[in-house]
């Protein structure tokens, strides 16, 4: 961002998006200067005893972008390419996302550069516990509440909760969200992000006058987000013609049997490798398939100026964070693709994380129906706010969403003033 340490393609993209929204809002220059960079960025060394007895030192990060609206909130990513710039971009997007959907939370993100698929359960546990210990003084139920992201899951959250609790001397379930229900997690959290993406696709289809039961979809990424999107879209009659993960993609114009794919993946360490349905395609080919709804649900910067012109979808629903570059946005606007931007499309995860935190703080738990209804109400309201802003200001849905999110944060900053 402003200085070299947290510069990366993703953080530059996040700052450029911010600058565009700030210019359109006529944002106070002092506020803008502050919001272009994070509050705090940590790099930690994580010595971990591997199964062969050697110690490997992993690098971990926690970036806290802004907490003017409330405690920092954001996931933890385990992926080989995690770096400070990527985590900084993701933290900034969390600030706008929480603000957009009206949560009393700020934005943060964490990550460890590692390949979780290459680690044994014991190695993963040791690394997670040491990472937690390294950032322990900077997180807390009223300070910064982590959650799952790519490469992490409810088991990783359980280890973080246990490590934090052991240090405090008592159980502190409200330290993380996305935990197993047995230790204070909420019903509906695991499915929340994918379910939210589907709620937003339903609203977009209503707005565009599209009948979803005659639609096709292609989903990139078959993890927590992508697999739920595929399953829930199939359940409402959308034909899922392609899915993919890091091992590649599978395509069938007649539709893939999503439930059976899920069972196969579950038996194969959650991988699609060797999948017995459809024909094999690459992740790039998947993005360019002729389909009505395209859902990137894996990594950043998948849709770029090089492939945007070849996309054939009518709706692009960003399950992943930052899957589309700025120059690709311009091409998609020309092509009249209806964009549901990441900060709106995948906000279901943080909304239900917020519900989990609230339930933990009150020690009073809700039914899954209550969780889903409250989630839907919040997201549908946000969708129409973004649509109205986009129509009123004649900007695309991404700029509209960022303008709403950034404006609320900026107003809160001006109320609180500058402590010096
Ligand atoms: P996950 O680890 O559960 O699944 C990630 C999937 O992407 C896996 O199927 C993996 O094989 C695949 N993948 C990895 N590298 C790939 C590549 N190079 N090409 C194609 N596929 C690849 O992660 P997730 O939680 O589903 O997160 C996916 C995206 O959604 C990320 O961008 C994340 O930031 C975003 N997101 C997640 C949540 C959440 O609640 N989990 C919330 C909001 C946004």
């Amino acid at each position: 961002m402003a200085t070299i340490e947290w510069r990366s393609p993703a953080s530059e993209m996040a700052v450029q998006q911010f600058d565009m929204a700030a210019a359109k809002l006529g944002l106070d220059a002092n506020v803008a200067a502050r919001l272009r960079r994070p509050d705090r960025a940590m790099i930690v060394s994580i010595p971990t005893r591997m199964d062969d007895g050697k110690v490997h030192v992993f690098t971990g990060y926690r970036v806290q972008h802004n907490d003017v609206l409330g405690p920092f909130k954001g996931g933890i990513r385990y992926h080989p390419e995690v770096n400070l710039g990527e985590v900084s971009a993701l933290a900034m997007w969390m600030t706008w996302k929480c603000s957009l959907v009206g949560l009393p939370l700020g934005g943060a993100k964490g990550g460890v550069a590692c390949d979780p698929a290459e680690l044994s359960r014991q190695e993963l546990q040791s690394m997670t516990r040491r990472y937690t210990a390294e950032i322990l003084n900077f997180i807390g139920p009223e300070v910064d509440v982590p959650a799952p992201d790519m490469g992490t899951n409810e088991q990783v959250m359980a280890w973080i909760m246990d490590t934090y609790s052991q240090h405090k001397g008592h159980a502190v379930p409200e330290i993380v969200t996305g935990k197993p229900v047995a230790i204070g997690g909420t019903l509906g959290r695991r499915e929340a992000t994918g379910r939210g993406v589907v709620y937003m696709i339903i609203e977009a289809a209503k707005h565009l006058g599209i009948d979803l039961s005659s639609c096709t979809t292609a989903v990139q990424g078959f993890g927590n987000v992508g697999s739920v999107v595929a399953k829930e879209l199939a359940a409402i009659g959308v034909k899922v013609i392609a899915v993919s993960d890091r091992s590649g993609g599978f395509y069938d114009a007649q539709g893939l049997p999503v439930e059976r794919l899920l069972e196969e993946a579950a038996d194969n360490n959650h991988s699609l490798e060797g999948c017995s349905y459809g024909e094999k395609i690459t992740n790039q080919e998947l993005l360019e398939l002729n389909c009505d709804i395209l859902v990137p649900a894996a990594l950043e910067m998948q849709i770029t100026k090089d492939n945007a012109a070849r996309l054939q979808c009518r709706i692009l629903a960003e399950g992943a964070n930052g899957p589309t570059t700025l120059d690709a946005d311009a091409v998609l606007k020309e092509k009249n693709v209806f964009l549901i931007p990441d900060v709106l499309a995948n906000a279901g995860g943080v909304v239900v994380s917020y519900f989990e935190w609230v339930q933990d703080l009150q020690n009073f738990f809700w039914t899954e129906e209550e969780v889903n209804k409250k989630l839907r109400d919040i997201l549908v309201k946000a969708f129409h706010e973004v649509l109205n802003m986009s129509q009123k200001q004649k900007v695309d849905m991404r700029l509209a969403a960022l303008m709403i999110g950034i404006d609320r944060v900026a107003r809160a900053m001006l109320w609180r003033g500058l402590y010096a």
Side-chain angles (χ1 to χ4, degrees):
M1 294 179 196
T3 56
I4 196 78
E5 290 84 352
W6 41 60
R7 269 178 77 179
S8 76
S11 67
E12 280 176 12
M13 177 172 133
V15 172
Q16 280 170 20
Q17 288 175 346
F18 169 76
D19 286 344
M20 283 169 69
K24 188 78 188 163
L25 284 166
L27 203 69
D28 179 295
N30 295 323
V31 170
R34 165 62 197 81
L35 287 174
R36 295 177 96 242
R37 48 194 295 166
D39 269 10
R40 193 178 290 129
M42 277 160 278
I43 306 179
V44 297
S45 298
I46 310 164
T48 304
R49 176 92 50 204
M50 307 302 278
D51 291 347
D52 64 6
K54 293 189 184 133
V55 173
H56 183 81
V57 185
F58 293 93
T59 306
Y61 308 90
R62 184 75 184 166
V63 176
Q64 298 171 336
H65 174 256
N66 186 280
D67 69 345
V68 72
L69 293 174
F72 295 108
K73 189 89 193 73
I76 292 174
R77 177 173 293 193
Y78 287 176
H79 191 271
E81 276 136 48
V82 161
N83 59 65
L84 185 60
E86 180 186 60
V87 178
S88 301
L90 291 163
M92 181 185 265
W93 288 326
M94 282 306 295
T95 304
W96 315 144
K97 191 183 301 180
C98 292
S99 166
L100 170 64
V101 293
L103 304 181
L105 297 169
K109 205 80 180 193
V112 178
C114 69
D115 185 351
E118 297 286 306
L119 298 177
S120 70
R121 183 183 163 88
Q122 184 51 44
E123 289 167 341
L124 199 60
Q125 175 168 183
S126 303
M127 189 195 77
T128 298
R129 288 184 181 277
R130 184 60 187 254
Y131 170 62
T132 309
E134 293 296 336
I135 62 169
L136 199 104
N137 290 327
F138 302 95
I139 60 173
E142 291 161 353
V143 183
D144 182 352
V145 184
D149 189 73
M150 218 157 122
T152 57
N153 56 20
E154 59 181 11
Q155 176 61 79
V156 173
M157 296 306 113
W159 290 328
I160 294 176
M161 180 266 189
D162 185 67
T163 306
Y164 189 88
S165 300
Q166 297 299 341
H167 278 259
K168 296 292 162 189
H170 55 91
V172 190
E174 60 272 27
I175 180 60
V176 282
T177 57
K179 304 175 289 293
V181 171
I183 54 169
T186 182
L187 295 167
R189 172 62 185 87
R190 202 184 57 74
E191 301 84 358
T193 308
R195 197 167 270 157
V197 174
V198 174
Y199 290 153
M200 297 294 85
I201 291 171
I202 293 171
E203 287 312 297
K206 275 192 221 157
H207 165 67
L208 298 169
I210 296 175
D211 172 13
L212 281 175
S213 67
S214 61
C215 283
T216 55
T217 188
V219 183
Q220 184 192 54
F222 204 63
N224 178 277
V225 181
S227 69
V228 174
V229 171
K231 185 176 167 195
E232 302 247 333
L233 281 178
I236 56 170
V238 177
K239 197 187 281 178
V240 179
I241 60 166
V243 296
S244 71
D245 68 5
R246 59 196 283 175
S247 69
F250 294 88
Y251 166 69
D252 184 344
Q254 302 312 312
L256 292 162
V258 178
E259 291 282 356
R260 271 178 273 155
L261 281 178
L262 282 164
E263 285 165 20
E264 249 193 32
D267 291 340
N268 189 23
N269 202 15
H270 301 286
S271 169
L272 289 171
E273 195 153 17
C275 163
S276 35
Y277 302 96
E279 110 195 34
K280 190 122 176 63
I281 55 168
T282 65
N283 265 290
Q284 281 309 310
E285 286 166 342
L286 178 141
L287 296 173
E288 297 170 19
L289 287 174
N290 185 5
C291 64
D292 298 296
I293 306 156
L294 179 64
V295 185
L299 287 174
E300 297 90 62
M301 303 179 119
Q302 296 297 299
I303 302 165
T304 65
K305 67 174 185 340
D306 298 330
N307 62 3
R310 293 195 295 276
L311 260 55
Q312 302 187 57
C313 58
R314 298 163 78 187
I315 297 175
L316 174 63
E318 295 183 330
N321 285 306
T324 313
T325 62
L326 278 173
D327 34 19
D329 270 346
V331 177
L332 297 178
K333 200 171 166 188
E334 279 289 301
K335 286 169 67 87
N336 223 4
V337 172
F338 187 84
L339 170 73
I340 314 175
D342 49 6
V343 287
L344 177 64
N346 69 35
V350 73
V351 170
V352 177
S353 272
Y354 166 64
F355 295 163
E356 180 173 335
W357 181 66
V358 167
Q359 292 170 74
D360 286 339
L361 289 171
Q362 298 182 340
N363 258 310
F364 183 72
F365 291 86
W366 312 346
T367 64
E368 189 161 355
E369 288 69 36
E370 281 177 275
V371 169
N372 291 343
K373 177 172 184 322
K374 286 186 169 74
L375 167 65
R376 193 177 170 282
D377 288 351
I378 287 178
L379 290 182
V380 169
K381 177 168 173 278
F383 178 92
H384 290 285
E385 284 174 358
V386 174
L387 188 61
N388 287 341
M389 174 68 96
S390 140
Q391 290 169 337
K392 220 166 74 195
Q393 295 290 333
K394 300 195 176 15
V395 296
D396 65 17
M397 290 283 282
R398 182 181 324 282
L399 198 51
L402 291 172
M403 285 169 70
I404 296 171
I406 292 168
D407 187 48
R408 287 182 187 149
V409 173
R411 282 173 198 272
M413 280 180 75
L414 290 169
W415 271 112
R416 286 181 56 166
L418 181 66
Y419 175 73

